[in-house]
Amino acid sequence: MFSCTANRLVRFASTLRNLTTMTTVPLPSNLMFRQLFDYQSYTYTYLLADKVAKEAILIDPVLELVNRDVHLLEDLQLKLKFAINTHCHADHVTGTGKLKDRLPEVKSVISKASGAQADIYINEGDQVQFGDFAVDVLSTPGHTNGCVTYVFKHEGKPLMAFTGDAVLIRGCGRTDFQEGSSDTLYESVHGKILSLPPETLLYPAHDYTGQMVSTVGEELKHNPRLTKPKEEFIKIMENLNLPYPKAIDRALPANLVCGIIDPPKEDK
């Protein structure tokens, strides 16, 4: 028999599978967008595609759900161009390596500052293009040195920002390991993300409460950490007393080599 927690988790996952994200921001008619969920690590994966060119990108894919992602791409008759990460994750193994194995034309993308392996390294000001669309790269370190936020714009206006662990819905990523810095995170978030137009949709890498999307305006009003002055924010982060990430010993070494669990050993 499921526990109450397990029942809530199943209902949450079921709801996410059946919900179409409701937004008040109109997206381009030829943009395809899907928000996907891993109920083990509470990770969101995002598919964006040009319906005409049939080119797609995946943001923050998860190893155990690569089959799901490949089947979705096949169903929608899309060609995956890039598998991109917001940072070198510590709570799940990225699916980029397995996607490259299944779809050899795919290129993996990550920030140069992450220290992880990838086909393409990105920095502030770069763009990742798919068809007639692109996401702009913002460097938003603090959770890790290599964190980036991907901003989708249309006609020059920011519509969506994929914030990784920098901004979560009513929260933010921890800063007590993996080169974290509360001071740096605060400056990154307020200087790069929460300075976007208030109606900009924010899509995080994780959510643990059943929420799917927020906006810049909402987080400026309601985020219990990021609405505080920097000194108070730093004290809050110093006293979170979070447990050691249970997947870090498996995830981090794998993610440094593009999600390959057992990288081939070099011949001596």
Side-chain angles (χ1 to χ4, degrees):
M1 180 179 293
F2 285 122
S3 67
C4 291
T5 299
N7 276 319
R8 286 197 297 269
L9 185 57
V10 170
R11 288 196 299 270
F12 176 38
S14 177
T15 300
L16 288 171
R17 284 195 297 270
N18 291 288
L19 274 177
T20 299
T21 302
M22 301 298 293
T23 73
T24 58
V25 178
L27 300 179
S29 60
N30 56 333
L31 176 72
M32 186 178 295
F33 174 61
R34 297 287 189 276
Q35 184 179 31
L36 308 167
F37 184 67
D38 170 29
Y39 63 86
Q40 296 295 326
S41 63
Y42 300 90
T43 299
Y44 286 122
T45 297
Y46 299 98
L47 170 69
L48 290 85
D50 184 322
K51 294 179 183 178
V52 178
K54 295 293 185 179
E55 289 185 346
I57 61 172
L58 274 174
I59 300 174
D60 288 337
V62 176
L63 175 66
E64 290 80 5
L65 292 172
V66 165
N67 286 340
R68 174 202 65 187
D69 298 341
V70 170
H71 290 155
L72 180 59
L73 290 161
E74 292 172 346
D75 288 346
L76 300 175
Q77 297 181 317
L78 297 173
K79 177 183 178 182
L80 184 61
K81 190 175 181 182
F82 299 114
I84 68 181
N85 282 292
T86 53
H87 62 291
C88 188
H89 300 276
D91 47 20
H92 69 273
V93 177
T94 179
T96 52
K98 191 172 180 180
L99 281 165
K100 283 166 53 64
D101 183 60
R102 293 282 299 275
L103 305 169
E105 69 276 11
V106 173
K107 301 296 183 183
S108 58
V109 179
I110 201 167
S111 166
K112 180 68 174 177
S114 70
Q117 295 180 20
D119 296 310
I120 299 172
Y121 295 112
I122 52 172
N123 295 291
E124 171 87 20
D126 288 341
Q127 287 190 326
V128 181
Q129 295 187 324
F130 55 103
D132 286 339
F133 298 119
V135 290
D136 294 349
V137 178
L138 301 179
S139 176
T140 50
H143 173 61
T144 73
N145 278 348
C147 286
V148 298
T149 292
Y150 297 105
V151 179
F152 178 84
K153 297 179 180 178
H154 183 55
E155 297 179 346
K157 180 180 179 180
L159 298 184
M160 300 186 286
F162 301 91
T163 59
D165 285 19
V167 175
L168 305 178
I169 299 173
R170 308 299 191 264
C172 64
R174 62 194 294 174
T175 58
D176 59 334
F177 71 99
Q178 212 179 346
E179 306 154 343
S181 165
S182 300
D183 186 299
T184 300
L185 179 61
Y186 191 91
E187 294 296 332
S188 293
V189 167
H190 282 275
K192 300 285 185 69
I193 300 174
L194 297 184
S195 57
L196 294 168
E199 66 273 15
T200 306
L201 299 170
L202 300 182
Y203 287 99
H206 307 280
D207 189 80
Y208 308 95
T209 64
Q211 299 186 81
M212 300 171 67
V213 61
S214 186
T215 67
V216 168
E218 281 188 29
E219 295 308 310
L220 283 171
K221 290 181 180 179
H222 303 300
N223 193 299
R225 299 177 189 173
L226 295 168
T227 52
K228 301 294 191 291
K230 183 165 70 172
E231 293 74 15
E232 187 174 349
F233 171 79
I234 291 172
K235 289 181 180 178
I236 290 172
M237 299 303 289
E238 287 176 347
N239 291 285
L240 290 178
N241 297 317
L242 297 171
Y244 185 76
K246 63 181 180 180
I248 189 172
D249 293 331
R250 173 177 179 261
L252 191 55
N255 290 337
L256 287 170
V257 289
C258 205
I260 300 170
I261 299 296
D262 296 308
K265 295 180 180 180
E266 295 181 1
D267 294 333
K268 295 183 178 180

